Amino acid sequence: VWADAKGTAVIIADGNGVLRRVSFPDLHTVKQADLERKVNWMAMSAEGIVLSMPDQQQVWLVDPTTFDVKIKVDIAKVKHVAASPAHGFAVVSDREWSNTKAFIIDLTKGSAVGWPIPIEPKFIGFHDPVMTPDGKYVFTTFGDSMHRFTFKDGTLKFDESSKQLIGGALPVGVQVSPDSKFVCHPAGGGNVGAPKPYDILV
């Protein structure tokens, strides 16, 4: 993830929990710390780096400058975290395939609340959430579609689902442009309904 709004550095986390701050564009490691824990996913918030720690079943908040751990929040079977530099909240999904509940963490308080995923008019699912950089929307995947939620004042509201996008080829997850204006859901063979094979709909 980008370490700051000016793009002077990136924060890199490997799967074993080694964090690195790498300057950009010269690509020098200027800070490194070993958390000695497996890391499943990472996102940047206004309060710092948000990490999902599967073995501990926790979400950690880490200072982006010192790499000190600021808070730890228990989330059973935690998998994916999504956050935005625009505010101090994070959205979390778990490893359950049913995925009937998401979690919203107030990073300023270190508290989490469950959020029931709507099952009407259809089962939505909440796999691999991604938050737009402006912090206004959360996109998830379930089945062969992409789903959009409005995020405001620490609450989620389901908006709508896309048509079928994935036709069997392995998807690589939702991608959002840095200006929060465009979103896509790439897949190995392209998207269903695209003009040509291997094309991606934006």
Side-chain angles (χ1 to χ4, degrees):
V1 296
W2 289 107
D4 54 50
K6 295 181 179 179
T8 63
V10 294
I11 306 293
I12 299 170
D14 69 18
N16 294 317
V18 177
L19 291 182
R20 294 179 177 88
R21 186 183 183 99
V22 179
S23 60
F24 185 84
D26 51 347
L27 302 180
H28 294 306
T29 298
V30 295
K31 178 72 175 178
Q32 180 170 316
D34 190 351
L35 300 179
E36 300 181 342
R37 304 289 191 276
K38 289 183 179 179
V39 174
N40 192 64
W41 206 253
M42 173 175 64
M44 182 65 78
S45 74
E47 297 297 320
I49 308 164
V50 187
L51 301 168
S52 62
M53 317 297 282
D55 289 350
Q56 282 64 47
Q57 299 191 64
Q58 292 177 330
V59 172
W60 289 13
L61 179 66
V62 176
D63 187 285
T65 303
T66 65
F67 288 166
D68 292 334
V69 179
K70 298 169 68 175
I71 61 171
K72 300 178 181 180
V73 181
D74 294 332
I75 301 288
K77 299 179 181 179
V78 62
K79 182 187 178 188
H80 225 86
V81 295
S84 163
H87 53 61
F89 291 95
V91 175
V92 184
S93 66
D94 62 29
R95 296 195 301 268
E96 292 292 338
W97 177 248
S98 61
N99 240 199
T100 56
K101 182 185 288 187
F103 300 88
I104 300 171
I105 300 177
D106 186 331
L107 297 169
T108 61
K109 299 177 180 179
S111 59
V113 295
W115 185 78
I117 297 164
I119 58 175
E120 296 292 343
K122 62 179 179 179
F123 186 71
I124 302 302
F126 207 83
H127 293 177
D128 302 340
V130 174
M131 189 174 290
T132 54
D134 62 11
K136 295 180 179 179
Y137 298 99
V138 173
F139 288 89
T140 68
T141 63
F142 185 74
D144 53 15
S145 300
M146 180 168 57
H147 312 283
R148 189 184 74 226
F149 301 78
T150 296
F151 190 79
K152 184 177 181 181
D153 299 328
T155 60
L156 283 162
K157 182 178 80 70
F158 172 68
D159 290 333
E160 61 180 321
S161 300
S162 72
K163 64 178 183 178
Q164 180 186 4
L165 293 173
I166 309 302
L170 182 65
V172 297
V174 174
Q175 307 294 315
V176 181
S177 62
D179 60 5
S180 302
K181 292 182 178 180
F182 300 98
V183 63
C184 64
H185 190 355
N191 288 149
V192 174
K196 302 190 302 287
Y198 304 108
D199 279 1
I200 302 299
L201 299 172
V202 178

